[in-house]
Amino acid sequence: MTTYQARRMRENFEAYLYLAPAGIILLVFWFLPVILALIVSFFDATALMPISEFKFVGLSQYMRAFKDEEFVKSLWNTVNYAIYSVPPTLALSLLAAMLLNSKIKGRAFFRTAFFLPYITTWVAISIVWKYLFHREFGLMNWFLTVWREDILYSLSFHQFGGVPMKLSWLSEPAGIWEMIFHFNMPALPGGVDALIAGPSLALFSIVITSIWRDIGYFMIIFLAGLQNIDKSYYEAADIDGATPWQKFWTITFPLLSPVTFFLMIISGIGAFKIFVPMLIMTPNGGPEYKTAPIVFRMFEVGFQGQWELSYASAIAYILTIIILILTFAQNKLFGKKVEYSQ
């Protein structure tokens, strides 16, 4: 072995030595559980059952999920949560970023204030918002009373007079569109009625909480994107007499498309993985199981008394497949419209 080869071998060994701690942690706590969960999902097994008693059942656990009424409900709850949380969060984050990218007083303070909720734990946020949504003492019902009496009636919107003074925000199973337009949604095959009726008021309350928390994080990323746009584009647009809307639509929005696309992907994935606020704000799946997302159902069958690890593993892989399909569809639909060069 030459001196050069010996030095290269020593350098490689040192590099592997530095990588070993992280590699071992990833192997033990990530790759190994992922592989074991996939294997277990093809068996009929519960926690603490000896491996010798595992019974191979093929895809039965996967087929069982789509016959499970609670799982189907949790699937539609998750879809509703994603639909009503992701687009408003992106739009409001972009609006906040554009406002805080201008030369306004207290800009640093507002940037910090918007970002603070994101670094607060979901548990603390959920407990605070649970009090805000309290039927008797919560601020939300106080705001609703003010809105109803001082704004709607002053605008002659008397048709909303039927709205109760106090809403049971976190215990109301009716869809928000059912409540607003006063119709009763009949049950449709496959639970499609859940999409037409909209998320239950209980789930929509959690959506509001989620939007409030995530705006700051997305706003910071949008801000970075806005500050990366060359100012000469706006100077040229000013010379041509472009309006603020024209500058936004023809300069800001296209050049922010890589950031928007990235945020759309990660927020979509995050929406399908939501779990903690539902567990804290509406334990047991909420009214009529209208707030339980897929991860909640997985947690329930796997770790809340039932200990059906095989079925929970199958639900986990169904969720993984759904996220992969969603990400692939987003990439096909919007990936080609992203402007990566300025």
Side-chain angles (χ1 to χ4, degrees), residues 117-130:
Y118 188 75
I119 58 175
T120 308
T121 65
W122 251 126
V123 173
I125 288 173
S126 301
I127 292 172
V128 171
W129 278 85
K130 195 172 180 180

Side-chain angles (χ1 to χ4, degrees), residues 6-187:
R7 192 177 73 246
R8 286 297 304 271
M9 185 175 290
R10 188 175 63 252
E11 289 173 351
N12 288 341
F13 178 74
E14 289 175 353
Y16 287 128
L17 208 60
Y18 281 117
L19 291 173
I24 292 170
I25 290 173
L26 280 174
L27 180 67
V28 173
F29 294 104
W30 200 88
F31 289 107
L32 196 57
V34 166
I35 294 169
L36 287 176
L38 178 63
I39 295 171
V40 169
S41 69
F42 295 115
F43 288 83
D44 183 8
T46 59
L48 304 180
M49 176 186 285
I51 295 177
S52 58
E53 296 181 13
F54 281 21
K55 181 183 176 184
F56 183 77
V57 292
L59 295 174
S60 296
Q61 301 289 6
Y62 293 86
M63 302 300 290
R64 174 187 169 186
F66 294 100
K67 297 175 184 174
D68 178 0
E69 188 178 340
E70 277 74 22
F71 174 79
V72 174
K73 282 184 180 179
S74 68
L75 175 62
W76 289 120
N77 290 339
T78 309
V79 172
N80 259 329
Y81 176 83
I83 290 173
Y84 288 88
S85 67
V86 174
T89 305
L90 292 176
L92 292 173
S93 305
L94 177 57
L95 179 64
M98 292 183 68
L99 287 173
L100 296 179
N101 194 42
S102 59
K103 296 176 181 177
I104 61 171
K105 288 185 178 179
R107 186 171 55 177
F109 168 78
F110 286 114
R111 286 179 182 178
T112 307
F114 271 102
F115 190 68
L116 275 178
Y118 188 75
I119 58 175
T120 308
T121 65
W122 251 126
V123 173
I125 288 173
S126 301
I127 292 172
V128 171
W129 278 85
K130 195 172 180 180
Y131 280 105
L132 293 179
F133 285 122
H134 194 280
R135 178 181 169 81
E136 300 299 329
F137 314 110
L139 276 177
M140 299 304 285
N141 271 338
W142 181 81
F143 283 127
L144 181 65
T145 303
V146 173
W147 175 69
R148 183 189 183 221
E149 294 183 352
D150 296 348
I151 299 177
L152 285 182
Y153 277 99
S154 66
L155 295 174
S156 299
F157 287 152
H158 299 293
Q159 65 269 34
F160 290 100
V163 177
M165 296 292 289
K166 293 181 179 178
L167 290 178
S168 302
W169 293 90
L170 293 174
S171 56
E172 176 56 62
I176 56 171
W177 303 126
E178 283 181 302
M179 295 181 67
I180 292 174
F181 296 109
H182 301 288
F183 70 91
N184 292 319
M185 191 68 221

Side-chain angles (χ1 to χ4, degrees), residues 5 44-45 66 86 102 109 162 169 187 199 205 217 255 300 309 316 336 339:
Q5 288 174 328
D44 183 8
F66 294 100
V86 174
S102 59
F109 168 78
W169 293 90
S205 304
Y217 174 66
L255 296 181
E300 190 177 48
L309 295 187
K336 292 180 181 177
E339 298 280 348

